[in-house]
């Protein structure tokens, strides 16, 4: 039974796990995409998505909080300057995990984890949403149509 087993310990002690996730999160933010195992990618997603949400509020407090998790000034700068403005209107789900098969050496299940708004290939192939003209759900009244034709008829008579 797995009662109260909220996180995957990844076969590491807590200090090693925290350092590994901090390094992986920094690499993901700097490179926008990294390749790792599926288990690490899922653990990284739960680690980095709250940090990206916190970056929407660019304050000193949120920067210091994020820095305490990432421990790299360049990654924090990239997150607040480049990534946060691009994901400002997204309500969550900033990362995507794509399974890529099995590693040759030990047959570990591999995956690519990437930031959703920074994949140019997926953004280019996605259909653009066109702005639809606002229409009313009610049918037009019968009186409105002849009233519009009447001035046109008067102009022709002149």
């Amino acid at each position: 039974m797995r009662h109260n087993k909220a996180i995957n310990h990844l076969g590491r002690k807590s200090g090693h796990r925290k350092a590994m996730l901090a390094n992986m999160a920094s690499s993901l933010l700097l490179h926008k995409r990294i390749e790792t195992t599926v288990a690490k990618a899922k653990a990284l997603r739960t680690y980095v998505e709250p940090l990206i949400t916190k970056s929407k509020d660019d304050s000193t407090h949120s920067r210091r909080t994020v820095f305490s998790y990432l421990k790299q000034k360049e990654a924090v700068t990239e997150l607040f300057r480049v990534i946060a403005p691009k994901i400002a209107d997204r309500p969550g789900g900033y990362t995507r995990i794509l399974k890529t098969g099995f590693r040759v050496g030990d047959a570990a299940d591999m995956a690519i984890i990437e930031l959703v708004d920074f994949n140019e290939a997926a953004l280019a192939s996605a259909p653009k949403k066109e702005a639809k003209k606002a229409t009313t759900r009610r049918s037009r009244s019968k009186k409105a149509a002849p009233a519009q034709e009447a001035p046109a008829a008067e102009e022709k008579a002149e």
Side-chain angles (χ1 to χ4, degrees), residues 51-69:
L51 300 180
I52 296 173
T53 301
K54 191 166 276 296
S55 73
K56 290 181 178 183
D57 174 34
D58 191 2
S59 65
T60 306
H61 176 66
S62 61
R63 278 181 179 265
R64 286 179 177 169
T65 305
V66 169
F67 181 75
S68 73
Y69 281 91

Side-chain angles (χ1 to χ4, degrees), residues 14-77:
S14 64
H16 186 186
R17 185 173 54 252
K18 287 175 188 172
M20 183 192 65
L21 288 173
N23 286 331
M24 289 174 63
S26 297
S27 296
L28 177 65
L29 295 174
L30 291 173
H31 301 294
K32 313 298 186 272
R33 157 192 295 209
I34 59 172
E35 184 174 7
T36 182
T37 63
V38 172
K40 286 181 190 173
K42 289 179 179 179
L44 179 62
R45 177 173 53 189
T46 62
Y47 186 86
V48 79
E49 290 214 1
L51 300 180
I52 296 173
T53 301
K54 191 166 276 296
S55 73
K56 290 181 178 183
D57 174 34
D58 191 2
S59 65
T60 306
H61 176 66
S62 61
R63 278 181 179 265
R64 286 179 177 169
T65 305
V66 169
F67 181 75
S68 73
Y69 281 91
L70 294 180
K71 301 170 181 62
Q72 278 192 24
K73 190 191 302 184
E74 297 81 14
V76 174
T77 305

Side-chain angles (χ1 to χ4, degrees), residues 124-148:
S125 65
K128 305 269 183 184
K129 292 184 180 178
E130 297 179 12
K132 281 181 66 175
K133 189 177 114 182
T135 59
T136 151
R137 293 178 63 185
R138 298 183 194 154
S139 61
R140 301 281 182 203
S141 66
K142 305 253 191 242
K143 295 177 184 175
Q148 291 174 353

